[in-house]
Amino acid sequence: MFKATIKGDKLKETVSALTALVDETKLNITEKGITARSVDAANVAMVAMELTQDAFETYAGTEGSIGLNLVKLESALEMVDKEDVVGLELDETSHKLKIEFGGITFTHSLLDPSTLRKEPNIPALNLPIEVSINGLDFKTGLKASEKVADYVRMGMADDTFKISAEGDTDAVDYVIPADRLKVVKAADATSLFSLDYLTKIKKVAEKATDVTLILGKDFPVKIKFPLAEETGTIEYMIAPRVEEQE
Amino acid sequence: MFKATIKGDKLKETVSALTALVDETKLNITEKGITARSVDAANVAMVAMELTQDAFETYAGTEGSIGLNLVKLESALEMVDKEDVVGLELDETSHKLKIEFGGITFTHSLLDPSTLRKEPNIPALNLPIEVSINGLDFKTGLKASEKVADYVRMGMADDTFKISAEGDTDAVDYVIPADRLKVVKAADATSLFSLDYLTKIKKVAEKATDVTLILGKDFPVKIKFPLAEETGTIEYMIAPRVEEQE
Amino acid sequence: MFKATIKGDKLKETVSALTALVDETKLNITEKGITARSVDAANVAMVAMELTQDAFETYAGTEGSIGLNLVKLESALEMVDKEDVVGLELDETSHKLKIEFGGITFTHSLLDPSTLRKEPNIPALNLPIEVSINGLDFKTGLKASEKVADYVRMGMADDTFKISAEGDTDAVDYVIPADRLKVVKAADATSLFSLDYLTKIKKVAEKATDVTLILGKDFPVKIKFPLAEETGTIEYMIAPRVEEQE
């Protein structure tokens, strides 16, 4: 069972955070909220989302799982205004999710969760760097990197956080000084990542005051930030591109 | 003879109302105003436009017909500001229409009216539903329908007006309650229409306070609303898509 | 040696003035400022740019030449805000130009100036018309012309400046009256030009109060206007399209 109402901007932010990486997902419903864990089609990146019942205006749910086509949902939600209250209601008999706002009723056919990619276990990694940066800094560094290359290097050096990219001819460096970092663990180490995923993630992350980055040397990066006015969280893990030795 | 001036926004609205359906049209000029009737290339839809002399700042016309390339006109008028007063003058000797605004003179070569598709007679249909809805309601229902399908169903049920669409997986319903309708004739009946035409019409209709819809069960729909601050009217007729019996 | 700082809007305006015509250029540095002269790939148009040291917040330069990929520079500068102060520094050892703004460092690999097209000598032409018009008039006349044709005719007649275009069916005339002209030399003469170049130039020119046009009958046009709040200038020369005699 699942019947809830939620502000439009919170729902749209949550769906966009998922579509940054995956087109469809299994959504787990409990009495306390909803969660989703998915791996991208290329097996390079994972996402884990959690929204507590505090994210909702009203919430009633019991244990269950449904499959969502996130691309169709995101398209339908384009018509939702920030201040709209969106009604969500699961019809278990017909396998549909009813989405209501501004007089419009969308009826979304659920996917069979057993046909979706298996939910990944996001591994606990003991990595030497854990630091929070402002979402706008994250966005600026990535956007500048896109100007010159398809890959970006992220990590720390000399107590600063560095986002840099090296293209065929031109290069970019964006250095976030120590006084703009919230450091949990610091070390001198960097890893290289495809901008494909990060370009989409930066659009969701730019509103976050604190984007937490956990990384090391040639290791995956974990990117975590709050969703829906801190009533939920999104966490991405992206595999590094390990450079061949020259 | 035709020589007139008209506010930019009224002229642009009128031309857009026609290009929603057809690329070229015969324009009939009388002492009292201008009219046009055209059928679309696929013979599925018709449009009839009337602009009285009250739509114009100044107006002088005598009986005659000219052929217009509406696509070229619409492109030229993109440079017109809402508040511009546009001068229109027919040069019968050279078969040109002179359009002047903001210091620019466009000279439009007229088409030979005898080469254009024959003017249709828009049939008088005795249909069971005649109701007016707000242009924004019309737009919202159609826009939501476009999210899930290429066809839309319109009609009445239980004193409400319904715009709905059913795609391969998802569906949309937009119900306009009785208290937002101006009903002339009511009945429970719906018809199915291609969104191709309606998508373009909704952009012109959204400014109208009252969009009048005349329809029945598996019959054409007539869509009527005022143009140019109620000094003219536009009327569309669109054939239904009759579903095969299962 | 070259080390300077400049306001973002001035640098962007200067680079756009060059990319209107060419993708790469040799940049000449002196103690007093920077200059560039380039011919377009089709050998139909030339551009000469000069920026005095007054354009810069700080300036230090000694005689030298570098090669710039203007397309990459323009893309990098998209992230610059108008009010940003941009740092420029030449590293002669590594053949790179360092561009710094808002915490971002772009490192641009210089082109070898000897591989670039030879700098043209922009000829002194003794042409019968020299007149200044407002950048917005220049833009309006060209934009209207683009609606109907690929070529535009510019010149004077009866003390007015005329921008006109004749397409297959439709035509445009834009007449700038005598009281909006600053005339140095007047004559009745026009020439025909491809809109390809002028379309790009009009975007840079539209901000200029005075766009100076020097032209004659079937001769090239020179288009000159100030850059960077009158601390520099840009000058284009475009070959005419000489019509075949009928």
Side-chain angles (χ1 to χ4, degrees):
Chain A
M1 192 274 267
F2 175 59
K3 186 170 177 176
T5 54
I6 183 170
K7 278 272 182 69
D9 52 355
K10 291 180 183 174
L11 180 61
K12 288 170 86 160
E13 183 190 5
T14 302
V15 172
S16 296
L18 290 166
T19 56
L21 223 65
V22 292
D23 288 352
E24 44 190 42
T25 194
K26 187 169 138 187
L27 188 80
N28 301 303
I29 298 159
T30 71
E31 285 174 28
K32 305 232 165 134
I34 58 174
T35 61
R37 275 182 295 136
S38 280
V39 62
D40 88 300
N43 253 305
V44 169
M46 296 175 189
V47 59
M49 179 277 292
E50 188 190 3
L51 221 53
T52 66
Q53 59 182 314
D54 295 342
F56 296 84
E57 303 293 301
T58 62
Y59 185 91
T62 55
E63 211 76 26
S65 288
I66 60 176
L68 297 177
N69 183 322
L70 295 166
V71 175
K72 289 195 176 171
L73 278 187
E74 193 174 41
S75 163
L77 295 177
E78 278 169 15
M79 292 187 72
V80 174
D81 284 330
K82 274 166 53 140
E83 292 301 321
D84 278 346
V85 171
V86 182
L88 301 168
E89 184 170 4
L90 179 62
D91 180 339
E92 278 163 299
T93 322
S94 63
H95 297 287
K96 307 224 185 252
L97 180 67
K98 238 169 59 184
I99 305 161
E100 291 184 305
F101 56 91
I104 301 170
T105 306
F106 273 95
T107 309
H108 179 61
S109 284
L110 300 173
L111 305 174
D112 179 351
S114 72
T115 65
L116 300 177
R117 271 190 297 279
K118 235 186 100 204
E119 284 175 282
N121 286 313
I122 299 199
L125 297 170
N126 186 18
L127 295 176
I129 299 174
E130 180 170 347
V131 63
S132 294
I133 66 176
N134 189 289
L136 285 176
D137 272 328
F138 186 62
K139 180 196 174 192
T140 301
L142 293 173
K143 199 172 159 188
S145 297
E146 290 163 21
K147 297 282 179 191
V148 302
D150 298 327
Y151 290 91
V152 66
R153 182 169 288 287
M154 296 196 295
M156 290 190 79
D158 307 326
D159 296 325
T160 67
F161 194 84
K162 299 182 79 161
I163 300 177
S164 60
E166 201 153 331
D168 290 339
T169 58
D170 294 355
V172 153
D173 284 287
Y174 187 65
V175 178
I176 306 167
D179 61 8
R180 294 221 303 268
L181 304 178
K182 293 179 186 162
V183 178
V184 176
K185 284 198 282 179
D188 278 16
T190 67
S191 297
L192 191 68
F193 303 98
S194 167
L195 276 162
D196 280 355
Y197 302 96
L198 292 168
T199 293
K200 291 180 201 153
I201 292 170
K202 78 168 194 282
K203 283 179 204 150
V204 192
E206 70 171 296
K207 276 174 291 182
T209 313
D210 288 315
V211 176
T212 301
L213 298 157
I214 300 172
L215 72 174
K217 180 175 178 334
D218 297 336
F219 259 92
V221 60
K222 282 195 184 180
I223 302 167
K224 268 168 42 172
F225 51 91
L227 282 184
E229 291 168 21
E230 321 233 336
T231 57
T233 53
I234 190 91
E235 177 174 0
Y236 303 95
M237 189 173 91
I238 301 173
R241 187 197 184 211
V242 180
E243 292 170 292
E244 290 159 38
Q245 287 178 309
E246 291 175 32
Chain B
M1 195 273 270
F2 176 57
K3 186 169 176 177
T5 54
I6 183 170
K7 280 275 183 67
D9 51 356
K10 291 181 183 171
L11 180 60
K12 289 171 84 161
E13 183 190 6
T14 302
V15 172
S16 296
L18 290 166
T19 56
L21 222 66
V22 291
D23 288 351
E24 43 190 44
T25 195
K26 186 169 139 188
L27 188 80
N28 302 304
I29 299 160
T30 71
E31 283 173 30
K32 306 229 165 140
I34 57 174
T35 61
R37 276 182 295 135
S38 280
V39 63
D40 88 302
N43 255 304
V44 170
M46 296 174 189
V47 59
M49 178 278 293
E50 187 191 4
L51 220 54
T52 65
Q53 58 183 315
D54 295 342
F56 296 84
E57 304 293 301
T58 62
Y59 185 89
T62 55
E63 211 77 26
S65 287
I66 59 177
L68 297 176
N69 182 322
L70 296 165
V71 176
K72 288 195 177 172
L73 278 187
E74 192 175 41
S75 163
L77 296 177
E78 279 169 14
M79 292 186 71
V80 173
D81 283 330
K82 273 167 53 141
E83 291 301 322
D84 278 346
V85 171
V86 181
L88 301 168
E89 184 171 1
L90 179 62
D91 180 339
E92 279 163 297
T93 322
S94 64
H95 296 287
K96 307 222 184 257
L97 180 68
K98 239 170 58 186
I99 304 161
E100 291 185 304
F101 57 91
I104 301 170
T105 305
F106 274 95
T107 310
H108 180 61
S109 285
L110 299 174
L111 304 174
D112 178 353
S114 72
T115 65
L116 300 177
R117 269 189 299 277
K118 236 186 99 205
E119 285 175 281
N121 287 312
I122 300 198
L125 298 170
N126 187 17
L127 295 176
I129 300 174
E130 180 171 346
V131 63
S132 295
I133 65 175
N134 189 290
L136 285 176
D137 272 328
F138 186 61
K139 180 194 174 192
T140 300
L142 293 174
K143 199 172 160 189
S145 296
E146 291 164 21
K147 297 283 180 192
V148 302
D150 298 327
Y151 291 89
V152 67
R153 181 168 291 285
M154 295 195 296
M156 291 191 79
D158 307 325
D159 295 326
T160 66
F161 194 83
K162 299 183 80 163
I163 300 177
S164 59
E166 200 153 331
D168 290 340
T169 57
D170 294 355
V172 153
D173 284 288
Y174 187 65
V175 178
I176 307 166
D179 60 9
R180 294 222 303 269
L181 303 178
K182 293 178 187 164
V183 178
V184 177
K185 285 198 282 180
D188 277 17
T190 66
S191 298
L192 191 69
F193 303 98
S194 167
L195 276 162
D196 280 355
Y197 301 95
L198 292 168
T199 293
K200 291 180 201 154
I201 293 170
K202 79 169 193 282
K203 285 180 202 150
V204 193
E206 71 171 294
K207 278 173 291 181
T209 312
D210 287 316
V211 176
T212 301
L213 298 157
I214 299 172
L215 71 175
K217 181 174 177 336
D218 297 336
F219 259 94
V221 61
K222 281 194 185 183
I223 303 167
K224 266 167 50 170
F225 51 90
L227 283 184
E229 292 168 21
E230 321 233 334
T231 57
T233 53
I234 189 94
E235 176 173 0
Y236 302 96
M237 189 174 90
I238 301 173
R241 187 195 185 214
V242 180
E243 292 170 293
E244 290 158 39
Q245 288 178 306
E246 288 174 33
Chain C
M1 194 274 267
F2 176 58
K3 186 170 177 176
T5 54
I6 183 170
K7 280 272 183 68
D9 51 356
K10 292 180 182 173
L11 180 61
K12 288 171 85 161
E13 182 190 6
T14 302
V15 171
S16 296
L18 291 167
T19 55
L21 222 65
V22 291
D23 287 352
E24 44 190 42
T25 195
K26 188 169 138 188
L27 188 80
N28 301 303
I29 299 159
T30 70
E31 285 174 26
K32 306 232 164 134
I34 58 174
T35 62
R37 275 181 295 135
S38 280
V39 62
D40 89 300
N43 254 304
V44 169
M46 296 176 190
V47 58
M49 178 278 291
E50 188 190 1
L51 222 52
T52 65
Q53 59 183 314
D54 295 344
F56 295 86
E57 305 293 301
T58 62
Y59 185 89
T62 55
E63 210 77 25
S65 288
I66 59 177
L68 297 177
N69 183 322
L70 294 165
V71 175
K72 289 196 175 171
L73 278 187
E74 193 174 39
S75 162
L77 295 177
E78 279 169 15
M79 292 186 71
V80 173
D81 283 329
K82 271 167 56 141
E83 291 301 321
D84 278 346
V85 171
V86 182
L88 301 168
E89 185 171 2
L90 179 63
D91 181 338
E92 278 163 298
T93 321
S94 64
H95 297 286
K96 305 221 186 258
L97 180 67
K98 241 170 58 185
I99 304 161
E100 291 185 304
F101 56 91
I104 302 171
T105 305
F106 273 96
T107 309
H108 179 61
S109 284
L110 300 173
L111 305 174
D112 178 352
S114 71
T115 65
L116 300 177
R117 270 190 298 278
K118 236 186 100 207
E119 285 174 280
N121 286 313
I122 299 199
L125 298 170
N126 186 18
L127 295 176
I129 300 174
E130 180 170 347
V131 63
S132 294
I133 66 176
N134 189 289
L136 285 177
D137 272 329
F138 186 62
K139 181 195 173 192
T140 301
L142 293 173
K143 199 172 160 190
S145 297
E146 291 163 21
K147 297 283 181 192
V148 301
D150 298 326
Y151 291 90
V152 67
R153 182 168 289 286
M154 295 196 296
M156 291 189 79
D158 307 326
D159 296 325
T160 66
F161 193 84
K162 297 183 82 161
I163 300 176
S164 59
E166 201 153 331
D168 290 340
T169 57
D170 293 356
V172 154
D173 284 288
Y174 187 64
V175 178
I176 308 166
D179 61 7
R180 293 222 304 269
L181 303 179
K182 292 179 188 163
V183 178
V184 177
K185 285 198 281 180
D188 277 18
T190 65
S191 298
L192 191 68
F193 303 98
S194 167
L195 276 162
D196 280 354
Y197 300 96
L198 291 167
T199 294
K200 291 180 200 154
I201 292 170
K202 78 168 194 283
K203 284 180 202 150
V204 192
E206 71 170 295
K207 278 174 293 183
T209 313
D210 289 315
V211 175
T212 301
L213 298 158
I214 300 172
L215 72 173
K217 179 174 181 332
D218 296 338
F219 259 93
V221 61
K222 281 195 185 182
I223 303 167
K224 266 165 50 170
F225 51 89
L227 283 184
E229 292 168 21
E230 321 234 333
T231 58
T233 53
I234 190 95
E235 177 175 358
Y236 303 95
M237 190 173 90
I238 301 173
R241 186 195 185 215
V242 180
E243 292 170 291
E244 289 158 40
Q245 288 178 306
E246 287 174 37

